[in-house]
Amino acid sequence: MPVSVRTFQGAEEAERALAASRTARYFGGGTLVMRAVNAGDQAFDTIVRATDPRLRQIQMQGDSVVIGAGVTMAQIIASRDAVFLAPVAKVIGGPAIRTVATVGGNLFAASPYGDFAAALLALDAKVVPVGGTPVPIGDFLDARDREPRRIVLSVIVPRPRDSRAFRFVKVSRVKPKGVAVLSIAALLPTNGGRVSGARVAYGAMGGRPVRALAVEQALEGHTLDEQGIAPALSAATEGINPQTDALASEWYRRQVAPVHLKRLLLDQRR
Amino acid sequence: MIEFRKEYFADERDDTLNEIGKPTQRQDMLGHVTGRSPFFDDHLFDGLLHLKCLRSPHHHARIRSVDTSEAERMPGVRRIIRARDVPHNLNTLLSLMGFGLDDEPMLADKKVAYVGEPVVAVVAESERQAYDAIAKIRVDYDVLPHVLDVEEALKPGAPSVNPTYPANTFTYHEKYDHQKLRFGDVEAALRQADHVVEGRYQMSPIEQAPTETCGAIAAPETNNRYVVYTSTQALFFSLGTAAKILKLSSNRMHFIGGTVGGGFGGKVDSIHEPMAILGCMLTGRPVKFIWNREEEMQVGAPRGAERWYITDGVMNDGRIVARKFTGYFDSGAYTRLSSYAIIKSVGHLPGPYTIPNVSADVYCVFTNRTPATAMRGFGITGVDFAIETHMDKVAHRVKMNPIELRLKNAYLDGDMKAHRRLAKNTALVECCQVVAEKAKWSIGPEYRAMSSLKGGGGERAAIPHTIIDNRGLARPASGLGSYQSPPAPGYTPAPAYTPPSYSPEPQPVRPYEPAQAAPPPAAASPTTTRPAGNRFSSISGLRRR
Ligand SMILES: Cc1cc2nc3c(=O)[nH]c(=O)nc-3n(C[C@H](O)[C@H](O)[C@H](O)COP(=O)(O)OP(=O)(O)OC[C@H]3O[C@@H](n4cnc5c(N)ncnc54)[C@H](O)[C@@H]3O)c2cc1C
């Protein structure tokens, strides 16, 4: 079947068109959708696009920044309001990818992709579906592969109060633009030098970005030094089920995760 | 920054050369940096059709039936190509030179032997239409047990991968199931050595990963010829292969190569041209066949995996007196170029060292993996990794400085190598000295004073008394699929295979016991007979004697 493209102005119209067809696929920046088209993917024959300006906006809303799902990695890098996310956006693909790859598309990218989604998970973002209420990103990711696709309009990201409290590392074998062996995003607020309310998330350590709950617990009330982080390192892969893929085996991922987690927690340059 | 050490071998060098030793610009550089280099895919044709393949989802399966009826009715489909449409549907590159047998179909007929093996080709007006039609082809597979490990493939009862070589080994010199190297008496030397150091090394397949995937465009030309634009690295290999598979005289094909968008060995034994030409012959229209990225990674032949076992006999002073190799090259499902890689590899043993007793048994093994081919340092890279890692292990065992150990055993000009050529222009000594200096790694004055020009030859140039054997006599392999014929008189199956044992460090020093040598098969040809037919020269490849 020839592939047809349908472009709508409003995200709601696009949502309706998508809901009405089993063989339609929403197009964000197309880095993954077009790859599937080129390979002759038989799962869809219609591409649905939306030119809704809301999808491309970055706006402040109280302590949070609202990022349209159609915002590209390049836009994130250039944005003042989303500056804390620039280090994440900078390591996604090469310049050509970053020019079109969107935040919304990253929420759906299968492992080992999804570095941006991992950062959003650590930051406790909320995902806003078109015409729906905001959903915590953890719940969104849990349901992602089960429920029928709805178009995401935006994500609401609380800005870290202390910019140094948010850390991100993407580990790849080809530098600077290789795909992740794993990525780690951590929000590490401290109170009197002790961690309080940490959120730690992994990318490429399972089918989708996941929180390292055991690490978070082990950090609570601890200082970020060799001694303080030791329990967190021993819990680095507790409850985590890394995948084996072309980049690394499950075993390898388990071996290196604590090494990179340690460097991140000690804020050591790699 | 290149540093020329002109003090070395000054009298051997001719400094009037125009290119060597001088920086020079690649001739294709300007085209590349200005984006003007023409690649095969830059040629435009009116009415171009596109060819895509349906590929095996299984490691190993018998093809019960193929139903293309629905696919034939799909929009844009111009032709469906099956195995029976291929004039000579069995090929191996080196059989063009009389080395090895044709063993690989262009389109699978009775069975598939690796994931991604092409089964049906579809020629359509657009790539998309070709893919859509492929999705409608129904193949009924009878899945067979598969084998993915070289040593597993040699065990009795292992699935037989390749019908041309049913025992899963390539046949060397029309006689052996492995390539042999024998120099001196390794078993005796191992018994006399102060230490026996064993090691097991392996290297995974490596994909050449060119930016430009493999592809070709074939179009009808005047005078009943076909013009072919191709990404091949080896234009005349590709022409010869196309002539053979299509049973078409080579003067009816006008091959145009040129800029290769990265090859590194992966485009040496290309087989996409005959596919494109066949599409063109059957439709009368220009046809393009280009792999997508996934195909390049999955079915593009990589450098094959290798596994090596090395056993060294070492004296307390670090002299290596014996070195024994057992090697396995994973050829994947078909021969391609692994058989030849082994010839090159064995000519390289025991590495750049003078060791008086050397032996090697190296197997080219068929498994249900993607067929493997050439890559830079072909046949050498894997075993060099094994040898040099092993040298460090030996140094550790005899508590020696690893660079001094290499210098102590380094080959020198005039030494006899295990494949019976005199070593010349060796320069390993000088290399080690410079490496030690650059790495600030101290070596003793006697090692700093060494020269590759001094101390070689003489006794070191002699060919030792050599123990030879007839182990691993394979089934006679002559002619296509001749295995149905009764075995030649005197044929006895190869003795059951026992893998060399491997025990990790640390090991107690123990007296060496030779592996149980299997008795030579009854009525085997006398060991003095030299194999007839082809012979390899280590430099120029094949020679007919
Ligand atoms: C060469 C290359 C390198 C890459 N490197 C990286 C990397 O380093 N890190 C990384 O994380 N990813 C990487 N990717 C994957 C991908 O580019 C990114 O994840 C990107 O963010 C996906 O966004 P997109 O807009 O291009 O998605 P698209 O291809 O447009 O869509 C991807 C999926 O998401 C769905 N979708 C998109 N937007 C929405 C929306 N608003 N609502 C609902 N569904 C939506 C689509 O329907 C589709 O199923 C790479 C991809 C390529 C090709």
Side-chain angles (χ1 to χ4, degrees), chain A residues 15 18 24-35 44 48 55 68-73 88-89 91-94 97-98 100-110 112-117 128 130 140 149-154 170 172 176-180 183:
Chain A
E15 166 90 4
L18 202 62
R25 173 109 10 130
Y26 184 74
F27 178 104
T31 56
L32 296 173
V33 168
M34 288 313 294
R35 195 166 75 175
F44 63 98
V48 172
L55 286 165
V71 166
T72 65
M73 296 301 151
V88 185
V91 294
I92 293 188
I97 293 288
R98 291 195 287 271
V100 290
T102 66
V103 170
N106 206 275
L107 294 174
F108 292 92
Y113 295 146
D115 301 311
F116 202 86
V128 187
V130 169
F140 167 83
R149 288 274 168 98
R150 297 194 54 189
I151 298 179
V152 172
L153 184 67
S154 61
K170 172 175 158 180
S172 62
K177 55 184 188 299
V179 178
S183 53

Side-chain angles (χ1 to χ4, degrees), chain A residues 1-3 37-42 44, chain B residues 74 127-128 131-133 135-136 292 294:
Chain A
M1 293 146 282
V3 178
V37 168
N38 290 339
D41 192 325
Q42 299 290 308
F44 63 98
Chain B
M74 290 289 285
E127 291 200 358
R128 177 72 196 194
Y131 282 127
D132 290 349
K136 303 290 183 204
N292 62 29
E294 194 180 339

Side-chain angles (χ1 to χ4, degrees), chain A residues 165-244:
Chain A
F166 176 64
R167 295 178 194 169
F168 177 82
V169 63
K170 172 175 158 180
V171 180
S172 62
R173 293 183 171 183
V174 181
K175 300 214 166 105
K177 55 184 188 299
V179 178
V181 168
L182 74 153
S183 53
I184 314 175
L187 185 66
L188 304 164
T190 48
N191 198 338
R194 289 179 185 276
V195 175
S196 156
R199 283 179 70 97
V200 179
Y202 289 123
M205 287 284 280
R208 56 189 163 76
V210 284
R211 270 172 76 185
L213 296 169
V215 173
E216 292 175 2
Q217 268 162 27
L219 284 172
E220 193 59 31
H222 285 244
T223 48
L224 289 176
D225 50 31
E226 294 249 3
Q227 221 185 343
I229 66 167
L233 297 186
S234 7
T237 57
E238 216 178 287
I240 305 291
N241 294 305
Q243 78 274 20
T244 290

Side-chain angles (χ1 to χ4, degrees), chain B residues 317-347:
Chain B
D317 66 358
R319 265 179 309 124
I320 302 172
V321 293
R323 176 166 282 179
K324 186 164 100 172
F325 294 89
T326 307
Y328 304 93
F329 278 57
D330 188 343
S331 182
Y334 301 105
T335 305
R336 301 284 176 97
L337 288 168
S338 298
S339 55
Y340 173 51
I342 286 174
I343 300 276
K344 280 188 71 187
S345 178
V346 169

Side-chain angles (χ1 to χ4, degrees), chain B residues 358-514:
Chain B
V358 183
S359 81
D361 289 355
V362 187
Y363 297 79
C364 176
V365 184
F366 299 105
T367 64
N368 294 109
R369 287 180 179 268
T370 305
T373 190
M375 194 168 171
R376 296 178 154 191
F378 187 38
I380 305 300
T381 312
V383 74
D384 258 349
F385 156 73
I387 290 171
E388 294 309 324
T389 315
H390 200 65
M391 289 301 282
D392 288 340
K393 194 171 181 177
V394 170
H396 185 76
R397 174 72 71 83
V398 297
K399 299 187 175 56
M400 243 183 108
N401 176 334
I403 297 190
E404 291 181 356
L405 178 83
R406 285 171 171 84
L407 284 162
K408 174 158 244 142
N409 292 286
Y411 66 167
L412 304 171
D413 280 15
D415 287 1
M416 180 55 65
K417 297 201 281 187
H419 66 298
R420 293 153 177 80
R421 295 281 165 96
L422 287 176
K424 58 182 184 189
N425 300 2
T426 54
L428 174 66
V429 167
E430 287 73 15
C431 253
C432 286
Q433 289 164 339
V434 175
V435 166
E437 176 198 318
K438 292 276 176 196
K440 301 191 170 49
W441 189 278
S442 83
I443 54 174
E446 71 276 30
Y447 294 104
R448 278 204 301 276
M450 277 177 73
S451 160
S452 62
L453 303 175
K454 284 186 300 197
E459 256 179 50
R460 297 168 63 114
I463 296 177
H465 172 67
T466 294
I467 306 295
I468 50 181
D469 61 76
N470 241 335
R471 276 203 312 270
L473 214 57
R475 293 171 183 231
S478 54
L480 279 174
S482 64
Y483 293 113
Q484 295 91 327
S485 57
Y491 164 75
T492 331
Y497 168 77
T498 26
S501 67
Y502 165 67
S503 38
E505 296 266 18
Q507 293 168 323
V509 180
R510 54 171 171 73
Y512 175 74
E513 295 195 4

